[in-house]
Amino acid sequence: MNGSFVRRTGFGALISLLCVLFLASEGAAQQPVEISGTVTSMSTGQPLAGAAVSVVGSARTVGTNASGAYRARIRPGSWTLRVTLIGYAAVEQQVNVVAGQPATVDFQMQETVLEMGQLVVIGSRTARTAVETPVPIDVISAEQILESGHTEVNQILREIVPSFNASHQTISDGTDHVNPASLRGLGPDQTLVLVNGKRRHQSAIVHVNGTFGRGTVGIDLNSIPTSAIERIEVLRDGASAQYGSDAIAGVVNIVLKENTEDLIVTATVGATGGCLTTPDRADTGEPINLDWDCDGEQLQVGVNYGFPIGDRGFFNVTGQYLDRERTNRSGAEERDFFPGISGDAATDAELASRGLTRADLSMQTGQGAATVGSAFYNAVYPIGESAELYSFGGLTFRDGVATGFYRRPNQADRFVPEIFPSGFLPEINTDINDGSVSLGLRGARAGWDLDLSVTRGSNSFLFNINNTINASMGASSPTTFDAGTLNFRQTVGNLDAVRLIDTDGAVKSLSLVLGGEFRVENYEIEAGEDGSWQLGDGEGNFDTQPNGDPKAAGSQVFPGFQPTNEVDRTRNSISAYAGLETQVNDRFTVDVAGRFENYSDFGKRVDGKLAARLEVSPGYALRGAVSSGFRAPSLHQSWFNNVSTQFLTDPVTGAQVPQRVLTANNLSGVARAFGVPELEEETSVNLSGGITIQPAGNFSLTADVYFIDINDRIVLSSRFGSGTSEFGIQVAEILEPFSDLGVSQAQFFANAVDTETKGVDIVASYGTELGDGRLTLTAAASFTDTEVTAINVPQSMADKFTGGVLEDVESTLFNREERNRLEDALPREKVSLTARYDLRGFDALGRFTYYGKVEYKPTNEDNDETFDAKGLFDLELGYDILQGVRWAIGAQNLFNTYPDQHEVLGNRDAERFIFSRRVTQFGSNGGFYYTKLQLNL
């Protein structure tokens, strides 16, 4: 089952059939009645375009046109109409719809100083505003996205949503190009991502290096152009019973723009402030010997335009280009470089004789470079009065450049003097292609709101290794290699149905929710060229070290995927869900949901959720939810396998030591030899409760506590080593077939740990008229703590290595540093305070963000370090220089603040790592200073 699945299942024919059903007679069902009217401003009387008119308890919404007019068709009965618009208080009217009697219902809306009343499409299948939901939802507007100053979605979310974290990684192979992200302190693969309410596909890469998120597969949010986004909705609660796998921490839904006849052009230019500060060494107080530049230059240009199609349709298209240069935060290495030459003076003299300095041999740790081009669209085509075809999607192409560890001439196993006489800094250049398309039909028929859709998404990740060698090939080695490609493809079909039930006034609204989903996933590893992985010429001829041992096989920094690594695996799942969403009255809401899911590779799963909200008095409400959840093991975690070069921390010195590591796929003979069982799904229980306070139209506060218990969490194990390690003899026997490739370590995926996560999220907003302008204040805080409560050693593994004693294998299966990644690698506290002021075409935004401390705990406790909390300031000043033309200047991290440096000499690794690459608060780029221009024509 692959890309022809949609054609072979006749899904296109199914959509055509549903079109016919929509246009056919409803038979005995009551004919809907047309309701029309206008929406105007209460203070000015002017029509309000873009307001959303909905039937409370249904999934139906229609928008107002440029004249503030709307038109909808509703079944006879007694219903409540609601109108919402950002910047205005939501309004409602009761309407009695009589068969055959069209009605006119007009609305007036009162402007507020807060962006309230925005309809959201996550957390329920019926139309609700964010303040009415029984679970917390953040809504980030297009204006907030623009004013953040960031050019990528992950960094925007980190800036605005306190419980969200993501930073660019360094010296981590493919992870340099796809940021691991976290919601509520959980892993990248425990947050579901939707686009326009439809499941987004995962990246092709699994994070296997030593960063936060190791062993996980996330979604590449940065493949979605910011210029195409109308808003981002973040559901901070478990939602597996509603959306299926991956929604343990919550859901991020990206809503694309729908505007028409507006040409919006944005351009941002900026650079980091690496040259602005020369920090002192943390351990000595002396200036660091470095040569940093004002680097990390960025240029982003985005264009968005929409075409109207009839009264209700549109075609909105976006093009965006981003060029982001790399940053360098390394010091000048304090070590010897050349064979037979030792000591700083002698090494410096040899470098000088070659016209070099130590800075020329820098590791260049920091953010990688990227060139990104994207084209996205969002379209709706009306069919009759009560249905519409819709489609959206896009393509993104990214070329990335990142580096690895510098290879020195005195490293005999990975050096060829004829090619790089002074050593070399290898590069991992990636070509990442990402594409998706959704096609669907939705509308009202026979009392049901129906939505039938199919979504196809794919991601490919090609590794081009440049400025490198296969040392075992000697002087004949190429310096560029195709190291192979990872591919992931996903096809999802959904049928969602919502029926608003007339209860004769017994409750305000009662909706029955039904639906089904099928999903087909495909994961593929394509081998690289032979020279990228083999020893010598592959026929027994290879270059040797002075001691006679063969030099390292494969391309340095990233050995290619071998033919034995190739996989092409497909699985499918089918699910059904049902629920009741009830507004008992204006004060009490109850939602119940259940979902059944069946996967072809591991079996069945049933989950449920109960959520409620009670308004105890006007403006004051309690809310809470309890749910079960799960995450299916990804195909990547089941089937990824390769041999890679990883620089592991020496347990005594703390230095980074290169090792060839085998990642064995979960169903391989190697995994069975280590006693690793087949992967099962992660399971979870999610409890949350909170309060919402909105006593007036200019103030709101929400506070929510949560508890997330996850069992059988899938992780990438610590390395089992041969040689002198505790189980070295047994490991060496298992790895003997890989000895020609220099493999001395092995790792694998396993359901190895149980965790508990506890936390609280607080968000408050206040707005007021100040002078002739408007002031908006926002405060948000997230406090979270994750604890590993158990390490689940398989009995078969204990039998293999310790005669059945489980406890004796725990620290090898999941060691102290791996535990550190789950518990301490991200800030437990994050607080932000934001102020925005608008005055007659001038606007100013200031933000202070506090990042709590992080801790680094390697296998040797003597090398433990704590990096203190930091506060960052952002500032942007904008002015409407002409009508529809806005110019702004700004700074992220205005005062160029960096994380604490390593103080332990071993962790600094001869000045290659001034800042930690294992744990992170906000990255190590320092300040980013920019100017931008927006045209709205």
Side-chain angles (χ1 to χ4, degrees):
M1 300 174 74
N2 51 31
S4 65
F5 180 82
V6 175
R7 295 189 299 274
R8 291 194 285 113
T9 55
F11 207 81
L14 187 57
I15 290 180
S16 299
L17 176 61
L18 193 58
C19 286
V20 174
L21 293 177
F22 267 110
L23 297 174
S25 170
E26 292 184 294
Q30 289 180 300
Q31 293 290 337
V33 176
E34 182 174 290
I35 305 295
S36 60
T38 58
V39 179
T40 58
S41 167
M42 184 178 295
S43 58
T44 68
Q46 295 298 310
L48 297 177
V53 183
S54 64
V55 181
V56 173
S58 78
R60 270 168 284 166
T61 63
V62 295
T64 57
N65 62 20
S67 300
Y70 74 93
R71 187 175 58 180
R73 294 175 66 82
I74 307 174
R75 284 185 299 130
S78 179
W79 313 112
T80 301
L81 295 184
R82 172 188 292 141
V83 184
T84 58
L85 181 64
I86 289 181
Y88 291 82
V91 293
E92 292 183 355
Q93 282 195 50
Q94 192 78 19
V95 58
N96 292 312
V97 181
V98 180
Q101 298 183 18
T104 299
V105 183
D106 296 327
F107 294 88
Q108 287 187 317
M109 304 189 74
Q110 179 64 55
E111 188 174 2
T112 69
V113 290
L114 296 181
E115 292 187 345
M116 299 158 57
Q118 174 66 57
L119 281 180
V120 294
V121 296
I122 57 172
S124 67
R125 304 286 176 175
T126 56
R128 287 181 180 162
T129 65
V131 296
E132 294 177 323
T133 56
V135 293
I137 295 176
D138 299 313
V139 181
I140 303 166
S141 67
E143 183 179 55
Q144 290 174 293
I145 291 171
L146 179 66
E147 290 178 342
S148 73
H150 287 281
T151 56
E152 296 173 301
V153 174
N154 258 335
Q155 280 59 53
I156 291 169
L157 289 173
R158 186 195 73 188
E159 200 75 24
I160 299 175
V161 181
S163 56
F164 189 93
N165 267 288
S167 297
H168 289 289
Q169 306 297 314
T170 185
I171 316 297
S172 56
D173 293 347
T175 302
D176 282 27
H177 307 279
V178 178
N179 305 152
S182 170
L183 182 65
R184 286 190 161 183
L186 297 183
D189 53 5
Q190 290 163 330
T191 298
L192 176 65
V193 174
L194 311 174
V195 175
N196 283 357
K198 307 302 179 184
R199 178 181 283 265
R200 180 76 174 172
H201 58 277
Q202 294 174 312
S203 169
I205 190 173
V206 57
H207 304 296
V208 298
N209 223 303
T211 67
F212 164 76
R214 183 173 182 267
T216 66
V217 181
I219 285 84
D220 186 5
L221 283 168
N222 290 344
S223 66
I224 302 172
T226 59
S227 301
I229 300 173
E230 177 62 29
R231 67 181 187 273
I232 303 174
E233 304 166 349
V234 182
L235 167 65
R236 294 180 274 115
D237 194 66
S240 292
Q242 296 155 294
Y243 299 105
S245 177
D246 307 347
I248 290 178
V251 182
V252 174
N253 181 46
I254 295 176
V255 181
L256 302 179
K257 288 181 177 177
E258 300 181 356
N259 56 282
T260 60
E261 299 182 333
D262 289 325
L263 175 64
I264 303 173
V265 181
T266 58
T268 302
V269 178
T272 67
C275 60
L276 301 181
T277 305
T278 303
D280 294 339
R281 282 187 53 150
D283 55 333
T284 65
E286 297 296 324
I288 297 174
N289 180 18
L290 45 73
D291 184 19
W292 293 353
D293 297 319
C294 291
D295 51 14
E297 299 91 340
Q298 292 189 40
L299 167 65
Q300 183 191 61
V301 178
V303 180
N304 175 268
Y305 187 74
F307 306 87
I309 302 176
D311 290 338
R312 309 194 319 268
F314 63 87
F315 185 88
N316 184 281
V317 63
T318 300
Q320 183 171 289
Y321 171 80
L322 169 66
D323 184 42
R324 188 192 71 211
E325 298 299 325
R326 65 171 304 119
T327 62
N328 176 21
R329 297 297 177 265
S330 294
E333 286 197 41
E334 298 175 347
R335 67 174 69 222
D336 297 337
F337 290 106
F338 304 103
I341 299 175
S342 61
D344 290 348
T347 298
D348 289 344
E350 179 63 21
L351 285 169
S353 71
R354 302 180 182 215
L356 301 171
T357 68
R358 289 182 179 269
D360 294 318
L361 279 62
S362 167
M363 279 265 295
Q364 296 187 29
T365 58
Q367 170 185 279
T371 302
V372 187
S374 301
F376 266 59
Y377 76 96
N378 188 24
V380 166
Y381 180 79
I383 300 176
E385 294 293 334
S386 58
E388 59 189 24
L389 281 171
Y390 64 89
S391 183
F392 58 88
L395 296 172
T396 296
F397 304 97
R398 179 188 296 130
D399 292 334
V401 181
T403 53
F405 282 76
Y406 197 95
R407 267 55 175 180
R408 305 185 307 276
N410 58 5
Q411 295 174 302
D413 61 334
R414 55 184 65 90
F415 176 67
V416 175
E418 296 88 345
I419 301 178
F420 295 110
S422 298
F424 60 98
L425 183 66
E427 294 181 349
I428 299 178
N429 291 11
T430 56
D431 290 339
I432 306 173
N433 297 330
D434 192 283
S436 65
V437 61
S438 291
L439 176 64
L441 176 67
R442 63 185 171 224
R445 212 50 161 169
W448 290 91
D449 295 331
L450 300 175
D451 187 342
L452 176 66
S453 66
V454 63
T455 299
R456 172 73 169 174
S458 65
N459 182 272
S460 68
F461 205 108
L462 168 65
F463 291 88
N464 288 309
I465 313 304
N466 295 332
N467 201 53
T468 189
I469 55 171
N470 179 334
S472 69
M473 297 176 70
S476 64
S477 172
T479 58
T480 299
F481 297 90
D482 174 350
T485 303
L486 303 172
N487 295 296
F488 181 73
R489 307 175 186 93
Q490 176 180 276
T491 302
V492 183
N494 293 96
L495 175 60
D496 302 316
V498 180
R499 184 177 183 87
L500 183 59
I501 300 172
D502 189 349
T503 63
D504 274 338
V507 298
K508 183 176 180 180
S509 71
L510 173 64
S511 297
L512 173 64
V513 178
L514 300 172
E517 177 182 283
F518 76 84
R519 187 159 82 249
V520 180
E521 298 174 331
N522 173 256
Y523 178 65
E524 184 180 18
I525 300 177
E526 299 177 22
E529 61 182 282
D530 292 348
S532 72
W533 59 266
Q534 69 186 10
L535 178 67
D537 61 6
E539 298 180 0
N541 303 308
F542 49 81
D543 201 12
T544 60
Q545 306 175 50
N547 63 6
D549 291 339
K551 290 185 177 179
S555 48
Q556 285 296 306
V557 80
F558 189 93
F561 294 105
Q562 306 174 33
T564 55
N565 298 136
E566 290 192 322
V567 297
D568 187 355
R569 297 289 175 173
T570 298
R571 74 172 176 196
N572 62 75
S573 69
I574 187 168
S575 62
Y577 72 84
L580 288 173
E581 299 184 359
T582 307
Q583 257 190 288
V584 179
N585 51 44
D586 288 335
R587 297 173 57 188
F588 187 43
T589 301
V590 178
D591 292 349
V592 180
R595 188 182 186 97
F596 166 81
E597 197 134 2
N598 185 24
Y599 280 76
S600 61
D601 56 350
F602 76 82
K604 303 176 179 65
R605 175 75 189 175
V606 176
D607 285 293
K609 182 171 184 176
L610 173 64
R613 179 182 184 274
L614 174 64
E615 189 168 0
V616 293
S617 64
Y620 297 83
L622 302 175
R623 63 185 180 186
V626 56
S627 64
S628 62
F630 80 106
R631 189 188 70 80
S634 68
L635 283 176
H636 317 55
Q637 292 172 323
S638 295
W639 293 105
F640 179 80
N641 68 109
N642 79 334
V643 173
S644 61
T645 301
Q646 297 185 24
F647 281 72
L648 309 183
T649 305
D650 185 285
V652 177
T653 66
Q656 304 294 296
V657 180
Q659 300 284 352
R660 283 293 173 95
V661 179
L662 169 70
T663 303
N665 79 56
N666 179 254
L667 297 175
S668 67
V670 174
R672 295 293 88 81
F674 276 95
V676 180
E678 293 186 19
L679 292 178
E680 300 177 350
E681 73 274 24
E682 302 175 351
T683 61
S684 67
V685 174
N686 195 312
L687 306 174
S688 66
I691 60 172
T692 66
I693 299 174
Q694 191 179 341
N698 67 339
F699 175 76
S700 68
L701 182 145
T702 66
D704 296 272
V705 297
Y706 57 90
F707 172 83
I708 307 169
D709 180 76
I710 305 176
N711 291 325
D712 298 321
R713 191 163 171 173
I714 300 170
V715 297
L716 187 56
S717 73
S718 306
R719 291 87 171 179
F720 284 69
S722 59
T724 59
S725 66
E726 185 177 2
F727 310 123
I729 296 176
Q730 297 103 309
V731 172
E733 292 175 353
I734 299 173
L735 298 182
E736 195 279 330
F738 305 92
S739 59
D740 284 351
L741 299 175
V743 172
S744 61
Q745 310 268 331
Q747 60 187 14
F748 29 77
F749 292 92
N751 295 96
V753 300
D754 299 340
T755 64
E756 289 183 356
T757 299
K758 300 181 287 290
V760 58
D761 294 335
I762 304 170
V763 179
S765 296
Y766 174 75
T768 186
E769 304 296 336
L770 183 62
D772 293 330
R774 185 174 72 169
L775 175 67
T776 304
L777 303 175
T778 303
S782 177
F783 305 91
T784 186
D785 180 67
T786 294
E787 178 185 359
V788 175
T789 56
I791 299 176
N792 307 318
V793 178
Q795 187 62 54
S796 53
M797 181 179 292
D799 292 341
K800 170 71 178 180
F801 292 104
T802 65
V805 183
L806 298 174
E807 293 78 8
D808 290 350
V809 191
E810 285 186 359
S811 62
T812 304
L813 174 64
F814 198 72
N815 67 26
R816 191 171 184 265
E817 187 167 355
E818 300 300 337
R819 184 171 187 145
N820 174 228
R821 283 189 235 284
L822 295 184
E823 295 183 336
D824 313 299
L826 296 176
R828 295 187 183 93
E829 306 89 24
K830 188 178 168 192
V831 180
S832 68
L833 304 172
T834 304
R836 189 183 194 279
Y837 186 66
D838 296 274
L839 175 65
R840 293 193 296 268
F842 169 79
D843 59 85
L845 181 141
R847 178 182 291 115
F848 169 77
T849 306
Y850 170 90
Y851 294 89
K853 68 179 181 180
V854 293
E855 301 167 70
Y856 176 48
K857 299 177 181 177
T859 51
N860 182 357
E861 296 183 22
D862 292 339
N863 292 333
D864 283 6
E865 292 196 69
T866 297
F867 305 105
D868 290 338
K870 298 288 182 179
L872 274 57
F873 291 86
D874 302 334
L875 179 66
E876 179 173 299
L877 304 176
Y879 185 67
D880 296 335
I881 56 179
L882 294 171
Q883 184 176 357
V885 181
R886 178 181 182 269
W887 175 66
I889 57 172
Q892 303 156 12
N893 190 357
L894 177 65
F895 300 113
N896 204 35
T897 301
Y898 291 95
D900 284 349
Q901 301 173 37
H902 279 300
E903 294 187 355
V904 177
L905 287 179
N907 294 340
R908 294 179 77 93
D909 198 26
E911 294 307 285
R912 292 191 288 191
F913 295 103
I914 295 173
F915 307 109
S916 177
R917 70 177 181 129
R918 303 299 193 188
V919 299
T920 180
Q921 292 161 296
F922 48 84
S924 59
N925 280 345
F928 179 71
Y929 306 92
Y930 62 89
T931 183
K932 61 188 175 186
L933 186 68
Q934 180 183 16
L935 308 178
N936 194 333
L937 306 176

